Amino acid sequence: MSDPGRPRSWQPPPLQDAAPAAAVPDTAAIAERARAEGYAAGHAEGLAAGRARAAATAAELAALLGNMAAPFRQQEADLLRELSELVVRVATAVVRRELETSPGAIQDVLAEALEILEAVEGPVDVHLHPADAALVREWLANELPKLAVTLHTDATLLRGGCRVATAESYVDASTERRLEEVLRALRESRGAVGGATET
């Protein structure tokens, strides 16, 4: 037992395992990581915005080019239509002029029509322009004297053509029909060119 009057000496408390001191954060590493993450996020956002802007600009340019090309396509279609109509008018005028200067052409047309009818035995009705009737009458008398032909004049028919009919058959060798075939061929070729152009 100690003496209460004597002073006691101080004794340090016994040492225990002290908790490890908290690590001091590396502020430079944290700042670098934050900068890298911010850069990556900003880069991705900027890239997405740039792509969206580029797509919108490309769509605007495509629409603009389409609008610019539309009038040219229409002009081309109009030009083709007018050109084909001009060709038909010129062809009609040339055919009429040719028939006026070569009245004997009706004989070739009638011979071809009769050939199409093959063996004609019965009566034949021939409709033709009045100016061609005299020529055909003379030609038939010389070339086919035994053929029973009745000529019918029709001033609405163009010269150089005829319509031939028997009891069983009919041949339209009119100039109008031949011009219509030329016109149809021109329209079909124009359609083909127009289609190719559109594509």
Side-chain angles (χ1 to χ4, degrees):
M1 198 170 200
S2 59
D3 185 357
R6 279 179 82 184
R8 287 186 276 178
S9 64
W10 177 85
Q11 296 290 327
L15 291 177
Q16 299 176 353
D17 292 339
V24 177
D26 185 356
T27 55
I30 292 172
E32 177 61 25
R33 191 170 347 144
R35 188 198 66 75
E37 289 173 359
Y39 176 83
H43 182 268
E45 184 179 336
L47 190 60
R51 285 178 178 161
R53 180 59 190 231
T57 303
E60 289 174 7
L61 286 174
L64 180 63
L65 287 173
N67 291 337
M68 289 174 62
F72 292 109
R73 284 194 295 269
Q74 184 60 47
Q75 284 181 348
E76 186 175 345
D78 292 343
L79 180 62
L80 283 170
R81 187 188 70 254
E82 290 175 11
L83 185 59
S84 65
E85 289 172 2
L86 176 63
V87 167
V88 169
R89 286 198 297 270
V90 169
T92 303
V94 168
V95 167
R96 286 180 174 163
R97 180 67 181 154
E98 181 65 24
L99 293 173
E100 288 173 6
T101 57
S102 305
I106 182 62
Q107 299 163 358
D108 297 331
V109 172
L110 181 57
E112 186 179 331
L114 292 172
E115 187 178 321
I116 291 171
L117 291 174
E118 295 180 354
V120 179
E121 295 180 0
V124 178
D125 290 317
V126 177
H127 297 262
L128 69 170
H129 190 276
D132 291 332
L135 292 168
V136 167
R137 226 179 253 112
E138 182 182 343
W139 179 78
L140 287 170
N142 293 333
E143 300 293 325
L144 301 168
K146 295 182 181 180
L147 189 62
V149 176
T150 304
L151 297 180
H152 304 275
T153 58
D154 184 350
T156 64
L157 291 173
L158 289 175
R159 291 196 65 187
C162 61
R163 294 187 176 110
V164 181
T166 66
E168 298 84 17
S169 304
Y170 174 79
V171 175
D172 185 355
S174 64
T175 304
E176 291 87 341
R177 183 193 57 78
R178 287 179 284 161
L179 285 172
E180 284 172 9
E181 288 178 355
V182 171
L183 177 58
R184 183 168 46 253
L186 282 171
R187 284 178 178 155
E188 288 172 359
S189 65
R190 184 184 71 192
V193 170
T197 304
E198 286 173 12
T199 57

